[in-house]
Amino acid sequence: MALSNSEIADLFDQLAEILDIEGENPFRVRAYHNAARTIRTQPRSLAEMVAFKEDLTQLPGIGQAIAEKIKTIVQTGHLPQLEQALKRVPKSLVELLKVEGLGPKRVKTLFSLLKIKNLEDLDRAARGGKIRELPGFGPKTEELILKHLQRRLPQEKRFLRFEAESIAEALLTRLRGCDGIDQIVVAGSFRRWKETIGDLDILVTVRNGEEVMRRFLAYEGIEEILSHGPTRSSVRLQNGLQVDLRVVAAESFGAALQYFTGSKAHNIELRTLALRHGLKINEYGVFRGEQRIAGASEEEVYACLGLPWIVPELREGRGEIQAGLENRLPKLVELADIKGDLHCHTRETDGQDTLEEMAKMAKAMGYEYLAITDHSKRLTVAKGLDEKRLRQQMEQIEALNAKLKGITLLKGIEVDILEDGSLDLPDRVLKDLDLTVCSVHHKFHLSEKKQTERILRAMDNPYFRILAHPTGRLINQREPYEIDLERIMQAAKERGRILEINSQPERLDLNDEQCMLARDLGVKLVISTDAHSAIGLGLMRYGVAQARRGWLTAENILNTRPLSELKAWLKQA
Ligand code: DGT
Ligand code: CA
Ligand code: CA
Ligand code: ZN
């Protein structure tokens, strides 16, 4: 395969950039860049010109030395000078040149003084305030770099589904304005409610595909159009999120929706199953030979393969197809099953709203009960409650309960688990509460043995009820602490303790696989929001989705029970 002109040009540009970083003579650097430009804009193929032994020095900016290099590239596919240079200087340094405020000189300084080799190193150093101290840099440059990185780095990370949700909604609203839009959905990991998503995959059926594409490509939030065509376009938004839009025919909509919802693992299993039936399945339909036998709806696609429709949250290739064939798919817990929330904060600590405002929202959501669980005293940054303030709040709750109709507030606390496994408030007050939500908020870096024992010891407290956000992870920000979760779950089961599925989008802790483990071990769970405002109670849908991804039914979740039953459970525990 002959190299194209632009591939040849790229090699010269790279060589120029590296020599530049190395402090090579600027004239020589410019000469390589000029040559690259000439090569890139040549209408004729240089490979062909070399084959016909044409005189390359006729081209602007190409002298004898460069002409020789071009010949070598065409004949061998390599530019030896570039390969030698790459042994001296890591290639990733070149990407640093694209950062605002960084020229070759500065990149060289960063490399030689701070060993910064790539964007991640740069980000770390800038955050640590190391850049401003370098010769020729200053706080301004550091700030500029940080700003630039904030815009750039997100491309590489996965987005919280929650972050992508508002973007998806804005895009859908815009596209719905098109004439003749019929179906419009976000497929992919977004539809499967994965906690993070790599990109958005939007599917539409529409009378006029061109108009919908035009509207999509005119969206203000677009940074770059990666590709566009009559049935598929792909863009990157300013925040780094990539979005694919596909226009599909109505008779293929179900097949496309199934295919692009994935997951890949699910699709691969499905294809194998189709083959066993002598069928072919793809994004256009299910085919027997040339004949399409299904495709308009997902239901008919699955039905062709002897399967019931499978909810997107289960489509991860974790046994859902086998379960479908055997008619034993679980009836997953739904938002409507949830009868109350068991973890939230008020203004008394770090929440935004009052007891009454929280209660009103819970009632408006159709709940029977809401547990108030403000922080305990160790968490001074959150103005955590000591015994006295907690008792005052308990009185307020009782007074409010006497007044409120249709909702019951439960008296609770989110009590810190201290390093030695004791709880942050004395038993004499914990025993007067309806429940405790117990959390690790400090000393994250204990060994697995110590961390596990700390939690097990806490569970021995007779007033321990719910273990909040059991692993402490924060998606994209903090790893889970080291614990033997299975042992903790076993202990919870033995002692009648409950584990929480925390609905905060950056927590979603337990995760989906841990939910499955809890189910297998028979541990009781609750789904709570950890809301810090009345609006925050609305995040319950995220916890429910995570539970669904973990194959959980209402049976597994205690806050699907009416208040009387829940209370009995909290007592016996
Ligand atoms: P993401 O975007 O990384 O969070 O994950 P997905 O699942 O949205 O994956 P994406 O956007 O790459 O592709 C969307 C769906 O398209 C994916 O879930 C299944 C389907 N798909 C993509 N590539 C393949 C493939 O190579 N084979 C099969 N069978 N399906 C694929
Ligand atoms: Ca995707
Ligand atoms: Ca995609
Ligand atoms: Zn909390």
Side-chain angles (χ1 to χ4, degrees):
M1 272 290 285
L3 288 184
S4 71
N5 285 359
S6 71
E7 284 166 325
I8 297 170
D10 284 347
L11 296 177
F12 281 102
D13 274 334
Q14 272 186 44
L15 179 60
E17 279 163 342
I18 290 177
L19 293 179
D20 203 6
I21 294 170
E22 288 191 303
E24 175 68 67
N25 176 344
F27 292 104
R28 200 152 152 233
V29 171
R30 197 165 328 134
Y32 286 133
H33 276 309
N34 287 344
R37 189 163 54 241
T38 299
I39 295 165
R40 193 171 277 116
T41 53
Q42 263 308 298
R44 294 206 37 219
S45 150
L46 274 129
E48 203 180 292
M49 291 174 76
V50 170
F52 286 106
K53 300 203 168 20
E54 293 186 36
D55 184 5
L56 300 177
T57 61
Q58 298 295 320
L59 299 171
I62 309 284
Q64 199 54 52
I66 292 182
E68 285 304 319
K69 291 190 173 68
I70 295 174
K71 270 185 222 158
T72 309
I73 294 172
V74 169
Q75 283 155 6
T76 69
H78 299 283
L79 176 56
Q81 286 82 355
L82 175 60
E83 276 158 23
Q84 280 149 23
L86 286 175
K87 283 187 194 136
R88 301 187 300 264
V89 171
K91 195 175 176 180
S92 51
L93 278 190
V94 171
E95 60 183 304
L96 296 183
L97 287 173
K98 300 196 180 95
V99 175
E100 266 163 68
L102 292 187
K105 245 197 182 146
R106 283 182 161 164
V107 170
K108 191 178 179 195
T109 309
L110 291 169
F111 180 55
S112 50
L113 294 184
L114 291 181
K115 305 241 169 329
I116 290 174
K117 290 189 297 296
N118 52 41
L119 290 175
E120 275 145 44
D121 294 349
L122 181 67
D123 191 48
R124 207 170 307 126
R127 279 174 203 278
K130 299 233 166 69
I131 306 280
R132 62 177 73 197
E133 295 162 10
L134 292 174
F137 289 73
K140 273 246 170 70
T141 317
E142 185 175 275
E143 197 181 319
L144 198 66
I145 290 172
L146 273 173
K147 266 208 191 122
H148 181 97
L149 290 175
Q150 265 163 15
R151 264 180 287 129
R152 266 193 63 95
L153 279 182
Q155 294 168 30
E156 287 133 38
K157 76 161 203 231
R158 293 177 63 81
F159 280 72
L160 293 183
R161 186 192 185 283
F162 179 73
E163 295 175 280
E165 191 176 57
S166 52
I167 301 168
E169 269 162 17
L171 268 167
L172 291 200
T173 304
R174 147 170 309 229
L175 297 179
R176 276 196 198 100
C178 279
D179 227 24
I181 282 268
D182 184 19
Q183 309 258 23
I184 175 158
V185 304
V186 186
S189 50
F190 186 88
R191 185 163 178 245
R192 302 197 312 277
W193 280 85
K194 234 179 121 146
E195 58 201 29
T196 63
I197 62 156
D199 69 357
L200 287 177
D201 306 279
I202 305 179
L203 300 181
V204 294
T205 60
V206 61
R207 201 168 47 225
N208 180 353
E210 266 175 45
E211 190 200 342
V212 89
M213 280 300 172
R214 215 169 27 242
R215 273 207 197 210
F216 176 60
L217 296 174
Y219 181 64
E220 316 75 61
I222 291 176
E223 163 130 324
E224 192 183 351
I225 295 176
L226 303 171
S227 68
H228 61 95
T231 60
R232 176 177 176 191
S233 295
S234 187
V235 302
R236 194 176 59 244
L237 304 181
Q238 278 143 13
N239 64 2
L241 181 64
Q242 191 174 314
V243 187
D244 295 343
L245 176 69
R246 289 183 175 82
V247 175
V248 302
E251 72 258 28
S252 295
F253 179 73
L257 181 58
Q258 192 291 311
Y259 181 87
F260 290 111
T261 297
S263 66
K264 195 168 161 179
H266 177 86
N267 287 357
I268 289 170
E269 269 190 57
L270 212 58
R271 190 164 51 212
T272 310
L273 181 62
L275 288 175
R276 270 198 265 141
H277 286 260
L279 301 171
K280 203 179 85 191
I281 179 170
N282 58 30
E283 65 264 50
Y284 302 105
V286 183
F287 298 86
R288 175 168 284 126
E290 292 298 296
Q291 196 197 350
R292 187 212 311 265
I293 59 168
S297 75
E298 278 194 325
E299 283 81 357
E300 66 180 44
V301 167
Y302 281 108
C304 279
L305 305 172
L307 285 167
W309 181 78
I310 298 177
V311 301
E313 293 95 318
L314 289 182
R315 300 184 196 173
E316 295 291 346
R318 295 176 183 152
E320 69 280 5
I321 290 177
Q322 196 55 36
L325 289 172
E326 293 165 12
N327 233 332
R328 51 172 184 81
L329 283 167
K331 188 183 174 320
L332 300 178
V333 59
E334 292 174 18
L335 189 54
D337 294 326
I338 301 294
K339 298 227 161 45
D341 198 329
L342 299 179
H343 183 167
C344 75
H345 300 269
T346 73
R347 241 191 239 176
E348 194 56 33
T349 60
D350 60 350
Q352 288 168 26
D353 295 319
T354 62
L355 278 178
E356 190 153 11
E357 284 160 342
M358 297 302 286
K360 276 196 177 140
M361 179 63 90
K363 188 180 165 186
M365 290 172 69
Y367 286 164
E368 270 185 52
Y369 48 85
L370 173 69
I372 301 298
T373 59
D374 267 316
H375 286 290
S376 68
K377 64 184 194 309
R378 201 210 64 86
L379 219 56
T380 46
V381 285
K383 301 181 286 166
L385 305 181
D386 57 15
E387 183 178 353
K388 185 161 163 252
R389 285 173 63 214
L390 176 56
R391 291 221 183 258
Q392 280 166 3
Q393 189 184 56
M394 289 158 70
E395 276 170 31
Q396 287 167 10
I397 289 174
E398 276 165 21
L400 211 49
N401 271 340
K403 197 173 87 177
L404 291 172
K405 299 232 153 31
I407 182 91
T408 302
L409 293 182
L410 298 176
K411 291 170 285 182
I413 184 84
E414 179 174 14
V415 60
D416 264 53
I417 299 174
L418 304 181
E419 188 179 359
D420 64 1
S422 61
L423 300 180
D424 186 32
L425 287 170
D427 287 0
R428 62 171 181 268
V429 61
L430 299 182
K431 82 175 189 344
D432 293 334
L433 294 165
D434 294 309
L435 78 163
T436 57
V437 169
C438 308
S439 304
V440 169
H441 282 141
H442 70 306
K443 295 278 177 192
F444 294 133
H445 296 292
L446 303 182
S447 67
E448 178 180 313
K449 186 166 179 289
K450 281 199 172 146
Q451 197 70 281
T452 304
E453 278 167 8
R454 171 188 188 182
I455 293 171
L456 293 178
R457 221 169 297 141
M459 281 185 177
D460 283 336
N461 182 303
Y463 305 108
F464 185 112
R465 286 296 173 269
I466 300 170
L467 178 62
H469 40 72
T471 79
R473 64 115 175 223
L474 292 176
I475 298 169
N476 290 340
Q477 296 170 57
R478 188 171 75 207
E479 293 297 311
Y481 30 77
E482 288 178 36
I483 45 169
D484 183 342
L485 193 60
E486 191 168 339
R487 218 176 129 208
I488 287 172
M489 286 187 183
Q490 296 280 16
K493 175 153 168 91
E494 283 158 23
R495 291 165 227 198
R497 307 298 187 235
I498 302 159
L499 263 59
E500 175 185 270
I501 299 168
N502 188 294
S503 307
Q504 294 290 310
E506 75 280 10
R507 287 195 184 270
L508 293 173
D509 179 9
L510 305 170
N511 70 22
D512 47 4
E513 286 178 352
Q514 294 161 345
C515 287
M516 294 173 99
L517 180 64
R519 177 202 61 171
D520 292 344
L521 295 175
V523 183
K524 284 289 180 237
L525 300 166
V526 295
I527 308 175
S528 305
T529 60
D530 197 354
H532 285 67
S533 66
I535 294 280
L537 293 171
L539 288 172
M540 184 60 80
R541 60 207 168 90
Y542 272 87
V544 169
Q546 192 77 321
R548 289 166 64 82
R549 288 178 55 80
W551 291 59
L552 300 179
T553 65
E555 190 62 25
N556 305 118
I557 309 294
L558 279 175
N559 53 324
T560 61
R561 309 293 154 81
L563 180 60
S564 53
E565 230 178 284
L566 176 79
K567 274 196 155 166
W569 234 96
L570 290 171
K571 273 225 179 65
Q572 86 177 24

